[in-house]
Amino acid sequence: MKASYTVLMEILKAGSGTVVCNPENYASVGGELLVLAMAVSWALTYFFDHQLIVDNELKKRVGYNNLCVGWDEAPAKLVAAPLFVLIIWANARYMQLDFWRASLSPTATTWTKTMVMIANMANALSWVACCLIFVVSPREDATLHTCSFVQLVVFGYIAYAANFLETEAKYHPRGSYVFLFFFGLTSLSFGVCAITQFLTYDEETQTPGPIPWYVTALCDYSWFACLGIQGNMRPAAPSLRVTYSLASDDDFVVLEGSETGISDMQALKECVAELEKEMAALRARLSGGHCEA
């Protein structure tokens, strides 16, 4: 949980004014929380709903237990769903910071920045849509439940590939192109296998599709393995130095050179009027003093 601790310290230090943050830390936080959610979910399902591991709607269609089966039902779902909110936030935050970094890059072209923006926004929305795995139970609609996850596989890879687009080749780790190809092949293969098995499943006879279970399982688990490796193969990129300061807006005016402000425009007008009265009184006293002299 090293990345989670680092990000927490960054958030707490924001009040100091300037913070140096590494966008990749947020991606790591998402990964750490995903592992935690899966571990806790499988433990809860094993002890409190073991029958789900033996027989479930996903297993009927693909022939094996996907890692996500562990959190498909309560009580595991009641723990995994709240954790997933943090996972979505961490990954969406990473997409945001990565786009900002690309926008600040002096070597990135307008086309590159646009592509990174599209890829990152799509992936952030994909993470949001992925929460449907907790909304739609496999017992209600197994196909929609699975598609909610498979779409994340596709958009997640697109956003990852965009990292190579926004950085110069000299910052790409050795072997990263091979990994990028394998990651893409795995993502595509898993998506095709999963969708094929679900669309060709016979509800009446409970006959699975044409793809052997071990082929889909290999693609599935290989994809999860790539998630664990991708951080080491991601191109090197700079961190961001973020400076926080107070700024005026529609209902609050920050006085220049001051850490305090006036929270209402009317209050500001009243303050100015009071100062004008004091200045008028001061001028009157000064004028009276000259007349006496």
Side-chain angles (χ1 to χ4, degrees):
M1 303 297 285
K2 180 181 178 181
S4 298
Y5 175 79
T6 301
V7 167
L8 179 60
M9 289 300 100
E10 288 178 3
I11 295 174
L12 294 177
K13 290 178 181 178
S16 63
T18 301
V19 176
V20 176
C21 63
N22 184 350
E24 277 68 34
N25 283 339
Y26 287 86
S28 298
V29 168
E32 291 175 351
L33 292 177
L34 182 62
V35 172
L36 176 62
M38 282 190 170
V40 173
S41 296
W42 273 96
L44 290 173
T45 299
Y46 181 84
F47 288 109
F48 296 102
D49 192 8
H50 191 270
Q51 184 58 32
L52 179 66
I53 300 176
V54 178
D55 182 31
N56 58 75
E57 294 300 321
L58 301 186
K59 190 175 183 180
K60 290 177 182 178
R61 287 161 172 77
V62 296
Y64 69 98
N65 278 322
N66 173 271
L67 291 177
C68 298
V69 167
W71 58 37
D72 279 344
E73 300 291 344
K77 180 188 290 189
L78 303 179
V79 176
L83 282 175
F84 225 77
V85 173
L86 296 176
I87 294 172
I88 293 173
W89 168 79
N91 282 282
R93 178 64 169 166
Y94 168 55
M95 292 294 99
Q96 177 192 40
L97 294 176
D98 181 62
F99 168 62
W100 285 355
R101 179 171 58 191
S103 298
L104 293 170
S105 174
T107 59
T109 64
T110 301
W111 181 85
T112 298
K113 295 175 183 179
T114 301
M115 291 300 101
V116 172
M117 178 187 69
I118 294 174
N120 287 14
M121 287 183 64
N123 190 40
L125 292 175
S126 175
W127 273 103
V128 174
C130 185
C131 68
L132 287 175
I133 61 176
F134 298 106
V135 178
V136 182
S137 169
R139 291 182 285 101
E140 299 171 354
D141 191 331
T143 301
L144 178 57
H145 174 89
T146 299
C147 287
S148 300
F149 176 74
V150 171
Q151 58 85 26
L152 179 64
V153 174
V154 176
F155 288 108
Y157 176 75
I158 293 174
Y160 183 79
N163 291 154
F164 290 81
L165 182 65
E166 65 182 280
T167 54
E168 297 181 70
K170 62 182 179 181
Y171 297 115
H172 300 169
R174 179 178 298 179
S176 59
Y177 296 139
V178 176
F179 173 77
L180 184 65
F181 172 78
F182 179 75
F183 191 12
L185 180 62
T186 301
S187 300
L188 177 62
S189 301
F190 173 47
V192 170
C193 287
I195 296 301
T196 299
Q197 290 301 92
F198 275 81
L199 292 181
T200 57
Y201 175 73
D202 191 321
E203 292 278 358
E204 295 183 1
T205 62
Q206 295 190 354
T207 303
I211 302 176
W213 71 267
Y214 50 84
V215 175
T216 306
L218 177 62
C219 297
D220 184 359
Y221 294 134
S222 295
W223 181 80
F224 274 103
C226 287
L227 289 187
I229 301 173
Q230 64 176 345
N232 296 321
M233 291 296 175
R234 183 178 281 116
S239 294
L240 291 172
R241 184 183 301 277
V242 183
T243 301
Y244 294 92
S245 61
L246 300 178
S248 301
D249 55 29
D250 293 339
D251 62 352
F252 198 98
V253 177
V254 177
L255 301 180
E256 187 175 355
S258 173
E259 295 183 357
T260 61
I262 299 174
S263 59
D264 183 54
M265 289 300 295
Q266 183 60 36
L268 176 60
K269 294 177 181 178
E270 293 175 357
C271 181
V272 172
E274 188 65 28
L275 289 174
E276 290 177 346
K277 289 180 182 179
E278 293 181 2
M279 290 296 295
L282 179 59
R283 284 195 295 268
R285 286 197 296 270
L286 290 175
S287 298
H290 288 308
C291 290
E292 292 176 2

